Amino acid sequence: MAIFLQQILNGLVLGSVYALVALGYTMVYGILGLINFAHGEVVMVGALVSLSVIELLLGANLGIPAPLVGVMALVIAIGVCMTLGFSIERVAYRPLRRAPRLAPLITAIGVSILLQTVAMLIWGRRYHTVPALIPPTPHTFAGATITNVQILIILVSALIMAGLMGLVHFTRLGRAMRATAENPVVAGLMGVNINRIISATFVIGSALAAVAGVLVSSNYGIAHYYMGFVLGLKAFTAAVLGGIGNLPGAMLGGLLLGLIESLGAGYVGDLTGGFLGSHYQDVFAFLVLITVLVFRPTGLLGERVSERA
C-alpha cells in the first residue's frame, strides 16, 4: 500500500507539470487549430532563464532570502517567456495563418529547433544544477514520502489551473477567447480583435510554460537546453488524451498521464526486473498516445471546438 501511495504522489507531481504545459498546447489549438511544437522549448527557456537569475542574485550576495530569490526568478522567467511567445506568434505563425495547415506545422518544428540551438549557444550543452531554494524537507504520510517542493508544485499547479478556468469563463478576455475559438470570422464581425486575442493566448500559454519550467527544474534539480523536447511531447500526449482544444481535458490528461507513467515505471518495472522501469517510462506515455489516437482520437472529454465555417 505504501508503494502504491508513493507512486500516486509521484504521478500527481509529474501530472501537474504535464497539465500546465498541456494547457498551452490546447489553448493555441482551440483557437488556431495549430499544434505549437515550439511550446516545449518555451518551457526550457523559462527554466534556464530562472536559473541564470538565481545564480546572478545568489552570486551577488545581496542578502535576499532564498524563497524571494525564487519568486524574483520566476517573475523574470514569466516575463521573458511571455515576450518570446508573443514574438513567436507575431513573426512565425501570423504570416502563415491563411496558409495550408502543413506550413505552420513545419514552421513550429523549425522554431523548436531554432530555440534549442540558441539555448545551446547561450547556456551550453552541459546539464546545469539548480540551487535548492526551498529546503527539501521530506514529509511521510502512510509510508509515502513527499517533499516541500513537490507539495508546492501540486498547490501552484492547482491554483493556476483554477485561475485559468476562471479567466476563460468569467472575464471579458475569456469570452472573447471562446468566441474566437467558436468562429473567428463571426467574432471579428462582433468587434473582437482577433489578432489581439490570438496573441493573448500565446502570451498566457507561455506564462504557464515558464511556471512549468521553473517547477520541473526545481523538482529534479537540473536544467539543460534539450529538456523541453520530451516534456513537450508528453504534454502534447496529455492534451490529446484529455481532448485537445478542451481545457478540463488538458488538466485531466496531464494528471492521468503522470499517474500512468508513475505506476507503470513502479509496477511494470518491478515485474520485468527493471527492464521497463523508470529509465523506460517514456514508453508508457507514447503507448497512451498511440492507443488514444487509434481508439478515441477526440480524447476522453472530446473536443468542444466546432469546425470552422
Side-chain angles (χ1 to χ4, degrees), residues 20 24 33 82 114 123 131 144 168 170 187-188 223 227 239 281 290 306 309:
L20 284 182
M82 290 171 71
L114 175 63
W123 286 283
V168 169
F170 301 108
M227 64 180 289
Q281 68 179 21
I290 294 171
S306 61

Side-chain angles (χ1 to χ4, degrees), residues 202-219:
F202 273 85
V203 167
I204 294 172
S206 298
L208 298 180
V211 176
V214 173
L215 292 178
V216 73
S217 62
S218 299
N219 186 39

